């Protein structure tokens, strides 16, 4: 029983809470029950003191489904349209600089964090990457984890309501055809794209291998006419479930002091991020560079996987949304350590 209590239960608990979250969201007809339901339920479990763990390989495998789903939407017409995105892509590093200019002083002056923790908390990059860079620079890994988990949670919880309010988005539409309606041969192609793309992307060390590898592989198959449908709705719902559960599990072991400080700091920063996002979305929309819905999904600093889910469900321009999120992550991964050292030297002088 000791082994069960200390080990297996930590993996079973999030499943039980996540499933209950899906059920509650379905009963009350709340948006995105398979994504936000698990997040809300696992967050509640963490705040109640339950210890939880995610199964990393399963979570990564679920992300390959999103990669295939995104890649399957690529057509020659969509790919050719990417050449016209350069103006909005140039706004991505501008937004990152603005976010850093406000976020770093916010965490330092308002909450008293040290510079490494403040800097890497402010950077809206991948959670794992910011944890690695931040810890190497001397930041607090637990604080970084909670700040970024809160960023992802708030952004992907707020966006569905914004999409419904301003664009009347139908979030109840199934994200794909039912499993029984898809040809077995197409399912086999999807499995091959997911497995081969993930393997090759890991082999070459590609950033976000579990999503981008399958996306590239499926995109090539779609352009060649080999893959003509997206993954079934059941598979995409499963991916949402595990992604949502993973976000919620990040809060496992949170203490009262962390709620008062780190969670509060993260929530305040989310307000800053959302206001900054609205400014850039307005710029893109007013100048006619992109529709407002696509601009919101492209510039909202949520997780790449979560933004892909929302774009799929509302039928947004996948190429536009994914291109901006991939570019944001690349810019931050490459630039964050360099600018962190530069800012630290300026402060020292």
């Amino acid at each position: 029983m000791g082994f069960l209590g200390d080990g297996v239960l930590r993996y079973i608990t999030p499943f039980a809470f996540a499933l209950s979250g899906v059920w509650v969201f379905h009963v009350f007809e709340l948006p995105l029950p398979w994504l936000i339901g698990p997040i809300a339920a696992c967050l509640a479990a963490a705040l109640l003191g339950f210890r939880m763990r995610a199964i990393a390989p399963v979570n990564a495998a679920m992300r390959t489904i999103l990669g295939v789903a995104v890649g399957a939407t690529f057509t020659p017409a969509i790919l050719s349209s990417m050449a016209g995105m350069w103006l909005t892509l140039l706004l991505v590093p501008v937004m990152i600089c603005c976010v850093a200019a406000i976020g770093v002083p916010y965490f330092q002056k308002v909450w008293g964090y040290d510079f490494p923790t403040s800097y890497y908390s402010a950077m809206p990059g991948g959670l794992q990457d910011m944890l690695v860079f931040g810890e190497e620079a001397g930041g607090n890994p637990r604080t970084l984890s909670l700040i970024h988990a809160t960023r992802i949670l708030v952004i992907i919880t707020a966006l569905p309501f914004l999409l419904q309010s301003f664009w009347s988005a139908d979030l109840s539409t199934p994200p794909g055809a039912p499993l029984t309606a898809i040809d077995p041969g197409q399912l086999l192609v999807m499995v091959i794209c997911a497995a081969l793309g993930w393997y090759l992307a890991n082999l070459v060390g590609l950033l976000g291998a579990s999503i981008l590898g399958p996306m590239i592989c499926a995109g090539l198959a779609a352009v060649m006419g080999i893959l003509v449908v997206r993954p079934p709705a059941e598979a995409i719902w499963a991916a949402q479930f595990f992604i949502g559960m993973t976000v919620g599990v990040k809060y496992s072991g949170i203490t009262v002091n962390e709620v008062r400080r780190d969670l509060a700091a993260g929530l305040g920063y989310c307000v800053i991020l959302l206001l900054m996002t609205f400014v850039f979305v307005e710029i893109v929309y007013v100048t006619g560079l992109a529709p407002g819905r696509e601009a919101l999904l492209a510039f909202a600093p949520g997780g790449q996987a979560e933004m892909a889910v929302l774009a799929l469900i509302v039928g947004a321009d996948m190429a536009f949304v994914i291109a901006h999120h991939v570019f944001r992550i690349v810019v931050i991964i490459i630039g964050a350590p360099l600018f962190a050292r530069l800012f630290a030297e300026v402060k020292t002088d």
Side-chain angles (χ1 to χ4, degrees):
M1 185 65 185
F3 168 76
L4 184 64
D6 188 50
V8 178
L9 275 180
R10 293 196 179 190
Y11 295 103
I12 295 176
T13 299
F15 274 95
F17 276 96
L19 286 171
S20 68
V22 173
W23 179 79
V24 170
F25 268 59
H26 270 299
V27 168
F28 290 96
E29 298 182 347
L30 297 172
L32 301 180
W34 289 98
L35 178 65
I36 304 179
I39 292 176
C42 289
L43 172 60
L47 292 174
L48 290 172
F50 286 90
R51 295 283 182 166
M52 299 175 290
R53 287 180 183 171
I55 306 174
V58 176
N59 295 334
M62 289 295 108
R63 287 171 176 262
T64 66
I65 296 172
L66 293 181
V68 172
V70 173
T73 64
F74 287 171
T75 63
I78 288 178
L79 291 177
S80 64
S81 71
M82 294 181 72
M85 299 178 190
W86 65 273
L87 277 174
T88 52
L89 286 172
L90 287 177
L91 287 175
V92 171
V94 176
M95 180 176 173
I96 292 171
C97 291
C98 292
V99 164
I102 297 174
V104 175
Y106 164 78
F107 284 117
Q108 280 190 296
K109 305 295 185 183
V110 177
W111 295 98
Y113 293 152
D114 57 62
F115 176 75
T117 302
S118 299
Y119 181 82
Y120 286 102
S121 291
M123 286 290 102
L127 189 148
Q128 298 300 329
D129 304 308
M130 296 304 97
L131 285 183
V132 171
F133 289 157
E135 191 169 7
E136 287 180 352
N140 185 322
R142 178 65 179 173
T143 296
L144 289 168
S145 178
L146 292 173
I147 294 293
H148 285 290
T150 302
R151 167 176 62 88
I152 294 171
L153 182 149
V154 171
I155 296 295
I156 65 175
T157 302
L159 285 189
F161 295 98
L162 293 172
L163 290 167
Q164 285 182 323
S165 300
F166 292 97
W167 291 279
S168 301
D170 184 4
L171 300 176
S172 62
T173 304
L179 178 63
T180 54
I182 297 179
D183 180 81
Q186 287 289 294
L187 293 174
L188 179 60
V189 172
M190 293 177 199
V191 172
I192 293 172
C193 288
L196 182 62
W198 189 13
Y199 171 76
L200 293 176
N202 268 327
L203 198 64
V204 300
L206 183 66
L207 178 71
S210 61
I211 292 181
L212 294 186
M215 183 188 77
I216 293 170
C217 197
L220 291 173
V223 169
M224 292 187 291
I226 300 172
L227 182 61
V228 296
V229 294
R230 287 205 309 238
E234 294 87 346
I236 297 177
W237 282 328
Q240 292 180 48
F241 178 83
F242 279 92
I243 289 169
M245 186 170 65
T246 301
V247 174
V249 167
K250 296 293 183 186
Y251 291 95
S252 181
I254 191 169
T255 64
V256 173
N257 286 335
E258 286 174 331
V259 170
R260 289 174 179 169
R261 191 184 189 200
D262 297 337
L263 193 57
L267 289 172
Y269 186 52
C270 286
V271 173
I272 295 172
L273 285 176
L274 286 171
L275 291 174
M276 189 71 67
T277 299
F278 294 149
V279 169
F280 278 83
V281 168
E282 188 67 15
I283 292 171
V284 172
Y285 177 71
V286 169
T287 55
L289 295 175
R293 183 185 65 175
E294 273 69 15
L296 176 64
L297 288 167
F299 282 87
Q304 182 185 4
E306 294 80 11
M307 294 300 100
V309 167
L310 288 175
L312 277 171
I313 291 173
V314 301
D317 184 338
M318 295 300 301
F320 184 85
V321 174
I322 296 302
H324 285 75
H325 283 289
V326 170
F327 188 53
R328 169 172 61 89
I329 298 300
V330 169
V331 169
I332 290 175
I333 293 297
I334 295 174
L338 299 176
F339 283 106
R341 284 195 290 270
L342 177 62
F343 290 164
E345 289 173 2
V346 170
K347 285 175 67 64
T348 302
D349 294 340

